[in-house]
């Protein structure tokens, strides 16, 4: 398994490191990145060949997989080149950064096949998500009626966003897309549908000059995560245009509704969800590591998982990075027929995030009905071999 990489930053190295741990035959042979980060963590890193452009690397290497982990605004062009070269790809989320790019990529995938692009929406691989899907499949929740969910991250992580290239929407696509596309994908999965109408409110109130620490204060907490490209020094004086808090409401094709909240200055972080159905309720927290399912009729506990005791895996995202790479290896070897998330799922989650920012900036409810009609005209579900068969990874 010969792998070439465009965008060899910390995220790419972290995933490739876990991939190599599960796949001895996985060999990173070349990369494009003017400033690779922590390449020494990869096997045989001294032999990995650098290229100046993706075109040169595609022409100069015989490879089995192209890993696309460049900054978000470069994804469309890099995926386009990969599709035209006929190489299988693994692309980090989010896939693209605008509604227009989404439709452009949908057209490309309709021509080349959606199964050519595997996607790094890692939250679907978490044990929490697997067990939540299993509870749904067992009928313990019934039809999903409403959801309350959030993603709250700690100040050290929030400061990273305000110092990193991700602070610019022109590069990241906005905070909701860059950080919360995982969550929006999970709730698309839970409802078995997509948002039809969305509204949103938010802005920037924490990482602003008036809240900057005193000059003699210890500010190390705001520099825990290193920024490599387009870095800024002070998160409170940042010139970025992303928000640091946002509240959203969504109505789905299934009729379910959700209230979602994100904030990047939460001292005791959590990533909670409460899924309320006609037969039961599932509540949990990816960060604090639990899942509880309660029967609506008897109020009896049907599932009570403490993942802080049961999950011991290396890597980030609550062990999901390692679980994703394990499944990717099995899929690439032909040992699995499908993966739990597809590039189509990722595009649909991205549209939800982009629509929420449109609603926030315009102050209007955004109706996605006509957009989905056009998106569905490309019949991407019919071209994708990677579908939502969660049963295959339970």
């Amino acid at each position: 398994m010969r792998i070439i990489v465009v965008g060899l930053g910390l995220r790419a190295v972290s995933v490739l490191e876990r991939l190599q741990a599960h796949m001895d035959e996985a060999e990173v042979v070349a990369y494009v990145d003017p400033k690779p980060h922590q390449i020494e963590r990869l096997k045989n890193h001294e032999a990995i060949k650098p290229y100046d452009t993706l075109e040169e690397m595609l022409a100069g290497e015989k490879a089995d997989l192209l890993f696309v982990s460049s900054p978000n605004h470069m994804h469309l062009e890099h995926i386009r080149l990969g599709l035209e070269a006929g190489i299988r790809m693994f692309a980090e989320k989010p896939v693209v950064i605008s509604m227009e790019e989404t439709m452009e990529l949908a057209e490309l995938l309709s021509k080349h096949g959606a199964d050519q692009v595997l996607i790094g929406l890692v939250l679907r691989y978490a044990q929490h998500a697997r067990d939540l899907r299993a509870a749904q499949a067992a009928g313990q929740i019934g039809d999903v009626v409403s959801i309350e969910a959030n993603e709250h991250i700690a100040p050290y992580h929030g400061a990273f966003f305000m110092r990193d290239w991700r602070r610019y929407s022109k590069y990241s696509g906005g905070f909701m897309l860059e950080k919360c596309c995982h969550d929006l994908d999970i709730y698309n999965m839970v409802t078995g549908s997509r948002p039809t109408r969305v509204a949103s409110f938010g802005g920037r109130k924490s990482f602003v000059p008036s809240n900057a620490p005193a000059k003699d204060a210890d500010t190390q907490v705001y520099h825990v995560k290193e920024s490599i490209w387009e870095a800024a020094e002070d998160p409170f004086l940042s010139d970025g245009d992303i928000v640091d808090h946002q509240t959203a409401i969504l109505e789905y094709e299934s009729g379910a509704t959700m209230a979602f909240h994100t904030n990047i200055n939460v001292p005791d972080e959590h990533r909670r969800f409460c899924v309320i159905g006609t037969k039961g309720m599932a509540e949990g927290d990816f960060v604090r590591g639990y899942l509880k399912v309660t029967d609506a009729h008897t109020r009896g506990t049907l599932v009570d998982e403490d993942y802080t005791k049961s999950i011991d895996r290396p890597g980030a995202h609550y062990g999901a990075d390692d679980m994703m790479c394990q499944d990717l290896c099995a899929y690439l070897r032909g040992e699995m027929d499908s993966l739990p998330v597809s590039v189509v799922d990722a595009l649909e989650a991205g549209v939800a995030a982009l629509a929420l920012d449109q609603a926030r900036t315009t102050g209007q409810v955004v109706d996605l009905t006509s957009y989905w009609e056009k998106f569905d005209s490309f019949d991407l579900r019919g071209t994708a071999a990677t579908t939502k068969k969660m049963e295959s990874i339970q």
Side-chain angles (χ1 to χ4, degrees):
M1 174 61 67
R2 291 173 60 84
I3 303 172
I4 56 177
V5 186
V6 56
L8 195 58
L10 180 59
R11 179 60 187 162
V13 169
S14 296
V15 174
L16 288 166
E17 187 178 45
R18 298 313 315 149
L19 194 69
Q20 290 185 322
H22 291 290
M23 198 178 200
D24 290 337
E25 66 270 33
E27 179 186 9
V28 180
V29 297
Y31 70 89
V32 175
D33 194 313
K35 191 176 180 181
H37 188 59
Q38 296 189 5
I39 190 174
E40 65 277 2
R41 289 168 54 181
L42 301 177
K43 294 178 182 178
N44 302 317
H45 60 88
E46 302 94 341
I48 303 175
K49 186 177 179 179
Y51 282 86
D52 291 329
T53 68
L54 178 54
E55 292 94 332
E56 292 173 353
M57 183 168 65
L58 287 168
E61 298 291 336
K62 185 177 180 180
D64 303 296
L65 185 73
L66 167 61
F67 194 112
V68 179
S69 190
S70 45
N72 304 347
H73 70 292
M74 301 178 182
H75 284 187
L76 178 61
E77 182 59 20
H78 291 163
I79 292 172
R80 184 203 311 277
L81 290 170
L83 289 171
E84 292 172 350
I87 188 172
R88 173 69 62 83
M89 281 168 278
F90 175 88
E92 264 299 337
K93 61 78 198 167
V95 198
V96 289
I97 64 166
S98 71
M99 295 289 210
E100 294 75 20
E101 286 191 356
T102 300
M103 209 63 76
E104 191 173 346
L105 183 55
E107 184 174 4
L108 284 168
L109 293 174
S110 71
K111 296 176 181 177
H112 296 277
D115 59 346
Q116 280 295 98
V117 182
L118 311 180
I119 195 69
L121 271 177
V122 70
L123 210 59
R124 284 226 197 182
Y125 291 89
Q127 194 62 50
H128 317 57
R130 298 176 189 228
D131 291 344
L132 176 58
R133 184 68 184 92
Q136 284 190 274
Q140 294 174 334
I141 299 172
D143 295 333
V144 175
V145 176
S146 60
I147 304 169
E148 184 180 27
N150 67 39
E151 182 179 11
H152 292 170
I153 65 176
Y156 82 91
H157 201 171
F160 166 76
F161 282 99
M162 289 300 172
R163 293 185 294 102
D164 193 53
W165 59 263
R166 294 167 175 84
R167 71 187 184 275
Y168 297 124
S169 295
K170 66 180 181 180
Y171 294 151
S172 65
F175 180 79
M176 183 65 75
L177 177 69
E178 163 63 22
K179 192 67 178 75
C180 302
C181 60
H182 290 297
D183 306 84
L184 295 172
D185 172 60
I186 285 291
Y187 305 119
N188 282 359
M189 179 194 79
V190 167
T191 64
S193 62
R194 304 167 302 193
T196 53
R197 293 191 300 165
V198 303
S200 186
F201 310 90
R204 188 163 166 184
K205 293 179 67 68
S206 294
F207 287 98
V208 294
S210 60
N211 291 330
K215 292 184 178 181
D216 59 347
D218 181 0
T219 60
Q220 180 56 37
V221 66
Y222 301 116
H223 297 270
V224 170
K225 286 180 68 68
E226 183 182 5
S227 176
I228 307 301
W229 179 62
E230 291 280 342
E233 178 63 25
D234 192 330
F236 296 93
L237 302 178
S238 166
D239 60 347
D241 60 4
I242 63 170
V243 301
D244 59 22
H245 71 283
Q246 192 164 345
T247 300
I249 53 175
L250 303 89
E251 180 181 56
Y252 290 85
E253 293 166 325
S254 67
T257 58
M258 178 169 74
F260 182 80
H261 175 230
T262 185
N263 190 302
I264 69 174
N265 191 43
V266 180
D268 190 4
E269 63 183 358
H270 47 280
R271 201 172 194 171
R272 295 189 310 230
F273 57 85
C274 182
V275 178
I276 303 169
T278 54
K279 295 184 178 180
M281 177 179 77
E283 57 180 323
D285 192 315
F286 288 96
V287 174
R288 297 176 181 180
Y290 71 88
L291 173 68
K292 182 180 179 182
V293 179
T294 307
D295 183 83
H297 181 66
T298 67
R299 298 181 69 184
T301 300
L302 304 176
V303 176
D304 193 3
E305 295 286 351
D306 181 352
Y307 301 114
T308 63
K309 297 178 180 178
S310 63
I311 296 178
D312 183 19
R313 285 177 176 264
H317 295 106
Y318 337 110
D321 275 6
D322 193 60
M323 299 169 88
M324 177 181 72
C325 289
Q326 190 172 25
D327 280 0
L328 280 173
C329 291
Y331 180 77
L332 292 169
R333 287 170 173 155
E335 298 167 359
M336 288 175 59
D337 294 332
S338 64
L339 293 169
V341 64
S342 73
V343 67
V344 184
D345 296 316
L347 288 172
E348 291 175 342
V351 167
L354 292 164
L356 285 169
D357 269 344
Q358 181 182 338
R360 176 180 60 81
T361 56
T362 63
Q364 298 178 338
V365 173
V366 173
D367 190 321
L368 287 164
T369 304
S370 60
Y371 190 89
W372 291 133
E373 289 175 357
K374 185 177 179 181
F375 182 85
D376 291 342
S377 70
F378 294 106
D379 191 28
L380 297 184
R381 294 287 178 194
T383 68
T386 308
T387 59
K388 301 179 183 180
K389 295 181 180 178
M390 288 297 293
E391 293 77 11
S392 65
I393 61 166
Q394 291 173 358

